[in-house]
Amino acid sequence: DARTALGFTDYKRQLSGAEYLGDEGAMPVLIEPNNPLTKNLHGMDVFKGGSDGADGVDLFAGLLSFKTALEMDDDIGIRMAITDMGKAIEQISTERAGIGARLTRVESIRLTLADFKLSTETFRSEQEDIDLSQAISELLQQQNALEAARATAARILEAPTLLSFLR
């Protein structure tokens, strides 16, 4: 019998039917201005090959036909089901490749943002950080200028004026 030849000795579990009940709602995430990225996969695309099923293989129906072909010992049905399973695997691989492309895009944007953060921090550091020796030198010059201005002001205020002669 085909089940034994393929190594399916525990075929007593019953699979009566399967139906995908998820929705086709997209979950976009804004990763750049005006550039959303969908973070989920549609179950219909993965398991049924599209929303109408015309573009691919219905994985669940293929598994059920495989089960039926095994139970009926139908060699042609088994071959057809195996072919459909191969197409379903390609279908899932295509969706996984799409995820890989999205991950590559996210990683590229992450690296760009990390570079931008580093250049921003470097620029800020250049603008905010001081050269200590230069700052001390400038402070001493300003202090000397202030002392000279005070001394000059004191001499001017102590000097005799016309008003002091009139008293």
Side-chain angles (χ1 to χ4, degrees):
D1 134 293
R3 291 179 293 239
T4 308
L6 290 172
F8 295 108
T9 55
D10 184 20
Y11 61 89
K12 300 210 188 275
R13 293 185 203 150
Q14 295 298 313
L15 179 64
S16 60
E19 184 177 345
Y20 174 71
L21 298 176
D23 65 7
E24 294 185 44
M27 293 185 215
V29 175
L30 193 62
I31 57 171
E32 291 179 306
N34 300 320
N35 195 0
L37 178 75
T38 304
K39 69 176 183 176
N40 65 323
L41 291 177
H42 298 207
M44 293 297 284
D45 292 337
V46 176
F47 300 119
K48 300 229 179 205
S51 58
D52 58 1
D55 298 336
V57 176
D58 184 340
L59 177 66
F60 301 122
L63 287 172
L64 288 173
S65 66
F66 188 51
K67 173 193 169 276
T68 303
L70 284 174
E71 288 175 344
M72 300 294 181
D73 204 20
D74 179 8
D75 290 337
I76 295 173
I78 292 171
R79 284 190 196 113
M80 289 175 54
I82 289 173
T83 301
D84 286 347
M85 291 300 103
K87 290 177 184 175
I89 289 170
E90 287 179 28
Q91 181 173 293
I92 292 169
S93 294
T94 300
E95 295 299 323
R96 288 182 67 190
I99 291 172
R102 292 179 203 172
L103 287 174
T104 301
R105 187 169 157 206
V106 167
E107 182 64 17
S108 171
I109 291 169
R110 187 190 68 76
L111 291 174
T112 301
L113 289 175
D115 287 345
F116 179 73
K117 180 181 177 185
L118 178 64
S119 64
T120 302
E121 288 174 354
T122 302
F123 177 75
R124 188 184 86 209
S125 176
E126 290 171 355
Q127 299 303 313
E128 292 179 352
D129 292 350
I130 59 169
D131 180 9
L132 192 57
S133 61
Q134 182 181 358
I136 290 172
S137 175
E138 289 175 6
L139 180 63
L140 289 174
Q141 285 176 349
Q142 290 174 357
Q143 189 176 11
N144 289 338
L146 180 62
E147 289 297 323
R150 277 191 203 158
T152 304
R155 275 190 246 128
I156 289 174
L157 292 176
E158 289 177 5
T161 63
L162 181 59
L163 192 56
S164 63
F165 284 117
L166 293 176
R167 280 191 211 173

